[in-house]
Every structure is written in C-alpha cells, then in structure tokens.
Amino acid sequence: MPQVSRFTGTNFICKESPFGFGIRFFVAEDKSVFVTLQFDEHKEGGYRIVHGGAIAAVLDEAMGTAAFEAGSPGYTATMSYSYRAHIPLSQDVTIRAWIEKQQGKKVFAASEAVLADGTIAVTGTALFIASEELKQLIEKYPYTPEDKD
Amino acid sequence: MPEFQFTGSNFVSGNWQNGFGLVFENIDGEFRASYRFAEHQQGPPHIAHGGALASLLDEAMTAAAFRAAQEPAFTVNLNVNYRSPVFLGTEVQIRAKVHEIVGRKITIFAEIKLADGTVATDATGLFIRLSGGK
C-alpha cells in the first residue's frame, strides 16, 4: 500500500485552494511519488486549461518530494518542462516524479503529468542541490500548510 | 486595427485572493511587473516556491508572446534557472522580452531581479502561436 509522504509539502502547493492545490503526495514502493488531482478554475491559464506555471509548480514539488524520499531534499537549481497536450480544468491528472540519478549533492529528477486516457501532457526534469540543513529542518519540522514560517 | 490585448490568466493575473494579482506594464514590447511574494507562495522556509517564480515568468512570457504574435500562443517548453533565492516580502522585478519569431515558434527570455539588481531566476520559453502566422 502506498504511504503518504512524511514531507507534508510547501504552502504554495499543499495549502487548500484557492492559495494552494490541496494535495499530498503518495510514495510508491520504488520511492517514486504520485498523486491524482483535478485543477480548479483558480489555476486557469488559457481558456478552460491549466496554467503552464501551475503544472510546473506541482511537478517541481513532486520532484522535490521524490528527492526528500530518496534522502536528499534540496533546492531547485534548474528545471525544464515540455508541454505536449493541454490539461483541461476539472479532470483527473496523475502526477508522477522519480529520481533518475545522484552525483554528490546533485540530484536529477524527472516527472510527468498524465491525463486519464493515458496521454502524457507534460514532462519535466529538474536538478536539485541537496541541502543537509534543509533535510534537518524537514525532519525536525515537517512543513505543514498551517506553518507560518 | 486595435492591438491584441493580453488580459492575463486567472492563475497569475487574477486578484490577490486567488491569483498573484500581477499587473504588467508594456514598455516597448518588454513586459515588466514588480511583485512581493507572500507566505502562501512559500516553498522552502522564508523563500518563494520555485513553481511560483516559474508561474510569474511563464505569464510574463505569455504576455510578450501575445503582443508579438497579435494572437494567443501556448507554452511548449519552459526552462528555468534558479541562481539565488527570493525571500518572501522582498520586492522583485519581473521582465520578459521576445528574442525571435520563426514561423509559429516564438522564443522568449525572462528574468526575475532582486532589488540590488541580482538576477535571481532566469528563463527561456518556447511558445507556439495559435494560427500558422504569416
């Protein structure tokens, strides 16, 4: 059974809508993370479709959570997204993220957003720089969306 | 013919209660805005979420793409580099400018600068305009 990640997420992603996206990520046996969500009208970009920035934000957080699950949470250094298909509002989208490789402090992650019919709508990659300080902070105070600082 | 207007997305240009409430100024085709990130846009402690920064850059680039193409355009590829953290509550400047247009492809540069002029985040975007173009 997949467990919910101990990393409860950042304000920007995990607070309830309209501010956040109201999500928590699940962890699969292979340590990849996933969640299925629907984007509401507050995340609209083009007419009735999800804003590219909103998808980028959720995939960034998913990859960051995968880095945490791999034992190396860090700060995003670069990220890159390819948008292949529009994601309509109010329809199920499955987000998946996993770690491709680690070289010292560099953590390379990949992610995708998949529509209900199996279409891969967006793919993303990111490089995180692992931070021991951030790891300790998360272990000590797993962020909660209610946290003020 | 009246200029094609970019009205902004719900997500970024919507009012502050649900969006970021961002308002762009168009200076000779360069789209600029200033912004202060708030608590609900936090990623790591005291720092704006990378996705929030990417969202503003994407929106700024979309505004520039719309103006250059005189029609809607969609993000096809977005690359973002994070050079220094953006702390919550500090004022930043966002700007986006079209680099080139080739057929349906529009390439755009955007950046977020701190008050002292440091480039905190920069991005390139590839956009595809809705119709075939010229």
Side-chain angles (χ1 to χ4, degrees), chain A:
Chain A
M1 271 293 283
Q3 302 287 314
V4 176
S5 175
R6 281 187 305 118
F7 175 55
T8 56
T10 61
N11 279 355
F12 186 55
I13 301 300
C14 297
K15 270 198 168 188
E16 289 302 318
S17 181
F19 288 132
F21 297 75
I23 51 174
R24 286 282 299 272
F25 289 98
F26 295 96
V27 186
E29 272 178 22
D30 63 0
K31 300 268 187 179
S32 64
V33 305
F34 64 94
V35 70
T36 298
L37 79 153
Q38 297 190 350
F39 292 87
D40 65 22
E41 72 279 10
H42 300 295
K43 310 298 186 262
E44 187 179 50
Y47 179 67
R48 301 300 294 162
I49 61 174
V50 182
H51 197 286
I55 302 160
V58 171
L59 291 177
D60 181 19
E61 180 100 349
M63 291 188 279
T65 305
F68 170 77
E69 291 297 333
S72 310
Y75 295 96
T76 319
T78 68
M79 59 185 197
S80 176
Y81 297 99
S82 292
Y83 298 87
R84 298 153 184 243
H86 295 318
I87 298 180
L89 297 182
S90 309
Q91 289 192 22
D92 279 356
V93 188
T94 300
I95 306 294
R96 271 194 277 271
W98 59 93
I99 301 305
E100 294 266 333
K101 61 176 178 179
Q102 288 193 46
Q103 291 172 341
K105 282 190 162 187
K106 292 183 179 175
V107 183
F108 296 85
S111 58
E112 61 188 15
V114 185
L115 305 183
D117 68 2
T119 307
I120 296 177
V122 183
T123 59
T125 55
L127 165 62
F128 292 89
I129 304 300
S131 160
E132 193 55 37
E133 184 194 21
L134 192 61
K135 183 175 177 176
Q136 285 174 9
L137 210 58
I138 297 172
E139 294 286 356
K140 199 169 166 190
Y141 312 102
Y143 301 359
T144 65
E146 291 74 38
D147 273 356
K148 289 296 180 203
D149 53 15

